[in-house]
Amino acid sequence: MMDTPDVLIRTAGRWGHITLNRPRALNALSYAMCCAIDDGLAAWRRDAAIIGVLIDGAGERGFCAGGDIRALYHAAIGGEAASSDIFFAREYRLNARIAEFPKPYVALMDGITMGGGVGLSAHGSHRIVTEQTSLAMPEVGIGFIPDVGATHLLGRVPDHLGTHVALTAMRLSAADALAINLADHQIPASRLDDLRRDIFAANTITELDPILHRYAIPPEPSALLAQRDWIKDCYQYDSITEILGHLRTAGPAAAAAAATIAAQSPTAVRLALRALRQARAFGALEPCLQQEYRLAVRCTRAHDFIEGVRAAVVDKDRNPQWQPRSDHEIDDAMIDHYFAPLGAAELRFD
């Protein structure tokens, strides 16, 4: 019996169709999958017969739970972190190509959409969520940083809502994703098969938007937006210590956010805050990806990433022992080191 490919690359009518095909692993993204998707997009970009691309995930649980962090963990503890560098470089270049893809790129973000799954979807031109969507960038909880261009996506969200999302690793509903411009339309999960059928029957790109509007429904109110006032007040500071201090005195919801942030990797939280602030200043995606690549290279060689993945995924004791244990113990020079250029190893997009 032949093995089933981890990603299906084929055409349907005048459309390219990508399906992440590891449902038992929540369609976790591997290096080989990144290569296949990238190659498919390159071919369809040149092919005048193809007018757009649709990407979805196999199974009923989610679109994509992110990169295969077990593989990254085993590479790190085995002294083979350089293999992770290769994965991140290919993945981040793919994120950039999705963002500038010249044809419609329709992402069906049904169910769990985290980490690398956000990178495969939220940079697209047409981003679809459903009532089952649960979107998150949970990296600070495993000693890593929001990557795949998430610092660009979240750093530009007004009123520091994106900073709150990143530092608390909170899960966003469809309404939340729409509210902060990580998605464009909400469509009932029960109608996705019909939506695919109509999209694949379209022969011109002018048919796409009317199809999407025909299926789209109004979202529920966003719980995230309802908390805008205290988030805006508490996250305006560039120091984690100041942010936590204001959160702890701004009411029960803010105090709960402070407790959540304090439980994450202190180093990763500090890195994430600075990366988000700098991403907002950059304005464009590619310099954010270059910055994320520097951080990814160094995080996967550091204690907190190995310990965070061990506690969350390998041993599942949910009791990571972070080093340093608090923001007060972090030396500014150490943070500067994470952000330092990589010289000849810098991520390039040519």
Side-chain angles (χ1 to χ4, degrees):
M1 190 172 181
M2 294 182 63
D3 290 337
T4 305
D6 286 344
V7 59
L8 306 177
I9 309 289
R10 69 275 201 210
T11 58
R14 297 195 64 192
W15 289 79
H17 186 191
I18 301 168
T19 299
L20 309 178
N21 194 37
R22 298 181 67 196
R24 293 181 63 183
L26 279 173
N27 299 318
L29 193 60
S30 68
Y31 176 76
M33 293 166 71
C34 287
C35 294
I37 295 167
D38 205 5
D39 291 347
L41 291 179
W44 291 331
R45 181 181 185 130
R46 297 187 300 266
D47 188 345
I50 297 298
I51 61 171
V53 173
L54 184 146
I55 184 168
D56 55 17
E60 300 179 353
R61 297 172 61 198
F63 168 64
C64 176
D68 190 339
I69 60 173
R70 281 185 177 272
L72 298 175
Y73 168 83
H74 287 295
I77 63 174
E80 299 177 355
S83 64
S84 299
D85 302 346
I86 296 170
F87 167 73
F88 289 124
R90 189 70 188 243
E91 183 183 27
Y92 297 175
R93 291 189 190 106
L94 173 58
N95 300 145
R97 289 182 184 125
I98 290 169
E100 56 84 35
F101 194 66
K103 302 176 182 182
Y105 181 98
V106 182
L108 304 188
M109 305 155 72
D110 184 36
I112 293 172
T113 304
M114 297 194 299
V118 175
L120 288 180
S121 55
H123 297 297
S125 61
H126 296 75
R127 302 158 305 171
I128 311 303
V129 289
T130 76
E131 73 279 4
Q132 300 177 156
T133 296
S134 179
L135 189 152
M137 295 300 299
E139 288 79 8
V140 292
I142 57 166
F144 199 63
I145 47 96
D147 65 336
V148 297
T151 58
H152 172 69
L153 295 167
L154 296 176
R156 62 184 180 176
V157 178
D159 298 330
H160 306 293
L161 293 171
T163 302
H164 173 67
V165 170
L167 300 191
T168 61
M170 75 172 290
R171 292 199 176 200
L172 303 176
S173 67
D176 295 332
L178 289 161
I180 64 170
N181 195 32
L182 295 181
D184 303 300
H185 301 284
Q186 181 173 347
I187 290 172
S190 62
R191 304 209 68 192
L192 290 181
D193 286 343
D194 294 336
L195 175 68
R196 290 185 190 90
R197 179 201 64 210
D198 287 355
I199 289 175
F200 294 150
N203 288 308
T204 65
I205 59 173
T206 57
E207 299 173 62
L208 177 59
D209 284 333
I211 291 171
L212 294 175
H213 285 291
R214 188 162 70 245
Y215 283 95
I217 61 173
E220 298 291 325
S222 165
L224 177 61
L225 278 192
Q227 302 174 81
R228 181 197 296 266
D229 289 344
W230 64 260
I231 290 173
K232 180 180 179 181
D233 289 342
C234 293
Y235 287 92
Q236 63 182 296
Y237 305 97
D238 291 329
S239 157
I240 295 297
T241 298
E242 286 184 281
I243 288 172
L244 290 176
H246 284 82
L247 286 171
R248 287 169 177 144
T249 61
T260 298
I261 293 170
Q264 318 288 11
S265 160
T267 301
V269 168
R270 176 82 77 91
L271 293 172
L273 179 64
R274 179 167 163 183
L276 288 162
R277 296 291 192 259
Q278 294 188 179
R280 185 170 59 188
F282 291 151
L285 175 60
E286 287 192 1
C288 297
L289 289 167
Q290 289 175 320
Q291 175 175 262
E292 290 170 6
Y293 182 71
R294 295 171 187 170
L295 298 176
V297 166
R298 292 179 170 122
C299 280
T300 51
R301 290 162 169 80
H303 168 273
D304 276 11
F305 174 75
I306 295 172
E307 175 62 7
V309 177
R310 180 207 63 76
V313 178
V314 180
D315 297 337
K316 299 183 180 180
D317 59 28
R318 309 293 177 184
N319 187 31
Q321 302 301 305
W322 306 122
Q323 295 179 7
R325 290 181 173 272
S326 74
D327 185 68
H328 297 288
E329 301 174 36
I330 296 176
D331 183 84
D332 287 342
M334 180 181 75
I335 299 300
D336 291 341
H337 166 72
Y338 277 86
F339 283 87
L342 293 168
E346 284 284 281
L347 178 66
R348 308 193 188 282
F349 298 94
D350 46 23

